């Protein structure tokens, strides 16, 4: 069965506001099932896990379900799933849990394609203990991270390579395999932020060979919950515990302040939602996730082709690398940054808003800075969601054309 976008749109009551939502980086629209689950859970899950009475056992079961759901999403082990309120906090927790000894005389590699959540925690920790920071640079023509550079900047003193699976502003996918091969040869860790990719494609932590995978549920329509998945759960026992509970074991050792139980129930519901995007997907949850996200990816790839082709017909619009080249589009997510000749990004976004279209201006991005978009008034970033349609693309293009 082909991806049924009309059916999927019916799962999002917020779409009834009449706006065209092209701003998934600010949070994907929330499905009705997720909102309902969280609302019910807030009334029912009132006790912390650990007790022997029913409400405490229910809370413990929800936390276990959340770990299993995230593991299904990435093909990992529930015993390696650490839960938290934000990915930046989780990355900072990991950086601190590695301990000072791993930093002394070593370096960490970060990239200019990443969001700050997977950059700043590492640079702060390196600065605190005297570690060295090395940068993987963006090819300003393609918007990609050239894989060959990791063979040059990763050395025997590299302890961590932190990189994104996909850019949140350019949509370009990265070759994490090249970075992983280099850092693993040096005995270091590969930490991959898959938050931008997770809403659009199946994830496989084993195939990526990431030692740690970072996720943010807000990016696919879930609550404000993030996860840090360890490919080898045994690694959790080899890092310093940061939990306030001295008896904590397993992933709880890195959970300083676990998310509220109702939000964890919403996390499970949001992953179930992803698994049901394609009604024809069958099997266990992992199989349904792969089927649904594959179907969604194919639909959005076609819609992204239509979006980019339509934008290219506008003489005043400039697509910022990545999807601009037809040969690159198959390797890109449905995320595009653009500029409009003679019009600042802020004014473009205001005009779009006047016409009922949500988009983002001047997203924090070292990649966009390196490419030089601030010099031409900034960039507008738009992204497609599972509910996006050709009609919405047409409305976007018409509004941008009116700026000429």
């Amino acid at each position: 069965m082909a991806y049924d976008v009309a059916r999927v749109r019916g799962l999002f009551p917020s779409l009834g506001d009449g706006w065209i939502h092209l701003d998934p980086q600010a949070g994907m629209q929330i499905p009705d099932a997720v909102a309902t689950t969280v609302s019910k859970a807030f009334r029912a899950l009132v006790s912390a896990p650990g007790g022997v009475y029913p409400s405490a056992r229910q809370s413990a079961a929800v936390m276990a379900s959340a770990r299993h759901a995230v593991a299904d999403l990435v093909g990992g082990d529930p015993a390696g799933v650490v839960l938290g309120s934000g990915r930046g906090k989780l990355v900072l927790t990991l950086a601190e849990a590695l301990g000072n000894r791993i930093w002394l005389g070593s370096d960490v590699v970060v990239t200019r394609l990443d969001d700050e959540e997977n950059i700043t925690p590492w640079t702060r920790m390196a600065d605190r203990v005297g570690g060295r920071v090395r940068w993987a640079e963006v090819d300003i023509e393609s918007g990609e991270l050239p894989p060959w550079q990791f063979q040059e900047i990763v050395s025997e003193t590299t302890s961590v390579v932190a990189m994104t699976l996909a850019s949140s502003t350019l949509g370009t996918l990265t070759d994490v395999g090249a970075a992983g091969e280099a850092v693993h040869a040096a005995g270091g860790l590969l930490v991959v932020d898959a938050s931008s990719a997770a809403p659009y494609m199946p994830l496989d932590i084993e195939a990526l060979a990431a030692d740690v995978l970072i996720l943010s549920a807000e990016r696919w329509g879930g609550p404000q919950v993030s996860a840090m998945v360890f490919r080898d759960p045994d690694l959790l026992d080899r890092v310093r515990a940061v939990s306030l509970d001295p008896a904590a074991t397993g992933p709880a050792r890195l959970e300083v302040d676990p998310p509220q139980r109702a939000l964890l129930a919403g996390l499970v519901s949001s992953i179930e939602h992803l698994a049901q995007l394609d009604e024809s997907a069958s099997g266990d949850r992992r199989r349904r996730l792969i089927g649904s996200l594959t179907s969604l990816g194919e639909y959005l790839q076609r819609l992204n082709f239509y979006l980019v082709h339509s934008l290219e017909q506008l003489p005043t619009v400039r697509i910022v690398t990545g999807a601009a080249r037809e040969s690159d589009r198959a390797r890109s997510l449905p995320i595009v940054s653009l500029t409009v000749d003679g019009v600042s990004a802020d004014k473009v976004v205001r005009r779009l808003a006047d016409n009922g279209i949500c988009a983002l201006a001047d997203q924090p991005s070292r990649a966009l800075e390196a490419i030089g978009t601030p010099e031409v008034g900034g960039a507008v970033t738009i992204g497609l969601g599972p509910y996006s349609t050709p009609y919405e693309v047409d409305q976007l293009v018409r509004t941008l054309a009116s700026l000429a």
Side-chain angles (χ1 to χ4, degrees):
M1 177 184 291
Y3 183 79
D4 187 352
V5 67
R7 182 190 72 85
V8 171
R9 287 182 64 85
L11 304 177
F12 295 87
S14 60
L15 297 180
D17 63 5
W19 284 73
I20 295 173
H21 297 275
L22 300 177
D23 57 343
Q25 296 85 351
M28 199 77 76
Q29 297 300 293
I30 299 176
D32 182 60
V34 175
T36 300
T37 297
V38 172
S39 177
K40 290 181 178 179
F42 265 121
R43 294 191 292 269
L45 301 175
V46 296
S47 300
V52 297
Y53 38 89
S55 59
R57 290 199 298 268
Q58 287 178 339
S59 294
V62 165
M63 180 163 282
S65 295
R67 298 195 203 280
H68 279 273
V70 172
D72 284 345
L73 182 63
V74 304
D77 187 333
V81 177
V82 178
L83 300 168
S85 59
R87 54 186 170 134
K89 291 182 180 179
L90 285 177
V91 174
L92 183 58
T93 296
L94 175 61
E96 294 179 344
L98 291 176
N100 291 347
R101 287 184 301 174
I102 198 173
W103 294 99
L104 296 176
S106 68
D107 55 71
V108 58
V109 174
V110 293
T111 88
R112 298 198 193 277
L113 199 62
D114 274 77
D115 293 338
E116 288 301 312
E117 287 85 347
N118 201 28
I119 296 176
T120 302
W122 301 109
T123 57
R124 285 182 180 176
M125 191 64 185
D127 181 65
R128 183 189 308 172
V129 300
R132 183 173 61 168
V133 176
R134 308 192 72 177
W135 290 87
E137 302 292 347
V138 178
D139 184 328
I140 63 174
E141 293 186 1
S142 67
E144 297 178 340
L145 289 173
W148 53 261
Q149 65 183 312
F150 289 100
Q151 298 297 328
E152 296 185 356
I153 60 179
V154 175
S155 68
E156 60 183 13
T157 62
T158 300
S159 58
V160 173
V161 170
M163 65 184 301
T164 185
L165 180 56
S167 168
S168 65
T169 54
L170 303 178
T172 48
L173 294 168
T174 60
D175 184 356
V176 298
E181 182 179 348
V183 72
H184 290 152
L189 297 176
L190 176 63
V191 180
V192 177
D193 183 358
S195 297
S196 295
Y200 301 113
M201 59 187 288
L203 299 175
D204 188 331
I205 193 171
E206 292 292 341
L208 292 171
D211 296 295
V212 182
L213 206 61
I214 309 296
L215 301 165
S216 177
E218 292 175 286
R219 292 298 182 92
W220 64 72
Q224 191 175 4
V225 176
S226 296
M228 186 163 60
V229 186
F230 287 72
R231 180 160 55 99
D232 179 7
D234 290 341
L235 179 58
L236 286 164
D237 295 324
R238 301 198 297 270
V239 299
R240 184 173 59 187
V242 297
S243 172
L244 302 182
D245 179 3
T249 60
R253 299 176 77 248
L254 296 187
E255 293 173 350
V256 181
D257 189 17
Q260 213 281 341
R261 277 80 64 191
L263 298 183
L264 293 180
L267 171 64
V268 176
S269 179
S270 71
I271 294 175
E272 286 285 356
H273 163 79
L274 290 179
Q276 297 170 11
L277 286 174
D278 188 338
E279 287 185 303
S280 67
S282 60
D284 61 20
R285 183 166 56 197
R286 173 65 180 166
R287 290 175 180 268
R288 288 184 287 116
L289 280 164
I290 293 173
S292 287
L293 289 171
T294 299
S295 180
L296 170 63
E298 292 171 352
Y299 167 74
L300 288 180
Q301 186 180 67
R302 294 191 297 271
L303 189 59
N304 193 41
F305 275 29
Y306 178 60
L307 167 65
V308 173
H309 176 75
S310 300
L311 292 174
E312 288 175 336
Q313 309 311 307
L314 303 179
T316 60
V317 171
R318 304 285 180 265
I319 299 176
V320 183
T321 69
R325 300 191 313 192
E326 185 170 356
S327 61
D328 292 329
R329 292 176 201 163
R331 302 197 305 275
S332 297
L333 299 181
I335 297 171
V336 175
S337 285
L338 57 87
T339 62
V340 178
D341 292 349
V343 186
S344 70
D346 181 66
K347 290 183 178 179
V348 173
V349 166
R350 290 178 183 274
R351 175 64 69 86
L352 291 174
D354 289 341
N355 288 270
I357 302 172
C358 300
L360 299 171
D362 296 325
Q363 281 289 94
S365 170
R366 295 176 188 249
L368 291 178
E369 290 180 5
I371 292 169
T373 59
E375 300 172 8
V376 293
V380 175
T381 300
I382 56 177
L384 304 179
Y387 36 71
S388 298
T389 66
Y391 167 79
E392 293 181 327
V393 170
D394 289 341
Q395 292 297 103
L396 169 70
V397 173
R398 290 193 188 98
T399 303
L400 290 175
S402 71
L403 291 168

